[in-house]
Amino acid sequence: MTTKNKLLIALVQMDVEAGHPDENFKKLEVMLEKAAAGNDKPHLIMLPEMWNTGYALEEISEIADRGGERTKALLSAFSRGHGIQIVGGSIAESRDEGVYNTTYVFNAQGEVEAQYSKIHLFRLMNEEKHLQPGDKVGSLRVSGADAGMMICYDIRFPELARKLALDGAKLLFVPAQWPNPRMHHWRTLL
């Protein structure tokens, strides 16, 4: 971990404006500055799932961040400017093959050090009709320790967490827009 075995993590929670990326980017910039301020500067900032667009799935192909470029520019500059690692929650990212629910991780120098696209799509929300599944396990390093990435519904598939743990992960980062009525499920699965 860190030299004192203490890892300070700031978790950004925000009301995501579904279908309004410009508003969400503005809101996130303010919240990032707030998270980095204060006496206890975090080593890492974690963002929420689909913070750029929310679950506006009917229009996701039009509003998703093309290649994640806007997100990468913002988070890279912020992490480099503040010397803070960022686990970018996840964003709607469009690629030639379609739209993915993708996490980007930036080191304290502002470089993309990892990315992961959600593997398990949630059929009850028709994600499979609007999003493409990822096909690679997500891993990263945090303060010298191996860590893993999963996104929301992935948590219901323990073999993914097991694979990450067997590969050495000591931490799991799981951004999620989990519904409050199923909070007991969330706590149990975590």
Side-chain angles (χ1 to χ4, degrees):
M1 304 301 270
T2 66
T3 55
K4 297 179 184 178
N5 278 343
K6 186 176 183 182
L7 176 64
L8 296 176
I9 299 175
L11 303 175
V12 170
Q13 295 282 9
M14 62 186 260
D15 289 326
V16 175
E17 299 291 331
H20 299 282
D22 290 339
E23 292 175 32
N24 293 324
F25 272 87
K26 287 178 195 168
K27 191 181 293 189
L28 183 71
E29 287 183 63
V30 170
M31 296 188 87
L32 282 170
E33 289 296 338
K34 187 176 178 181
N39 297 333
D40 292 327
K41 179 180 168 184
H43 299 105
L44 183 144
I45 297 175
M46 170 87 177
L47 307 181
E49 180 187 20
M50 295 283 278
W51 63 262
N52 68 332
T53 62
Y55 269 90
L57 293 178
E58 294 299 324
E59 57 186 312
I60 204 74
S61 60
E62 291 84 37
I63 61 174
D65 189 353
R66 180 74 185 149
E69 296 305 319
R70 183 177 183 188
T71 299
K72 289 188 269 189
L74 171 67
L75 298 183
S76 174
F78 184 87
S79 61
R80 182 177 52 255
H82 291 81
I84 298 173
Q85 186 176 23
I86 296 177
V87 176
S90 76
I91 61 163
E93 174 200 26
S94 66
R95 303 180 202 160
D96 291 340
E97 314 82 54
V99 178
Y100 293 80
N101 184 341
T102 301
T103 296
Y104 282 100
V105 179
F106 297 83
N107 63 23
Q109 293 75 44
E111 302 160 332
V112 173
E113 67 175 274
Q115 79 178 63
Y116 167 73
S117 295
K118 183 178 181 179
I119 293 173
H120 301 97
L121 301 179
F122 189 48
R123 289 177 121 22
L124 290 177
M125 285 185 61
N126 295 318
E127 284 185 345
E128 79 287 355
K129 293 180 180 175
H130 304 281
L131 301 173
Q132 299 297 313
D135 60 1
K136 293 181 177 71
V137 174
S139 59
L140 66 147
R141 303 267 304 156
V142 175
S143 295
D146 291 329
M149 296 178 282
M150 300 166 70
I151 299 173
C152 199
Y153 189 57
D154 283 334
I155 197 85
R156 287 197 178 266
F157 298 86
E159 66 276 6
L160 181 55
R162 184 173 195 270
K163 164 89 172 113
L164 290 164
L166 289 173
D167 288 346
K170 304 295 183 216
L171 301 164
L172 287 179
F173 291 92
V174 189
Q177 283 196 36
W178 201 271
N180 196 38
R182 291 196 287 272
M183 193 56 63
H184 176 69
H185 296 193
W186 173 250
R187 289 186 180 115
T188 300
L189 291 165
L190 280 178

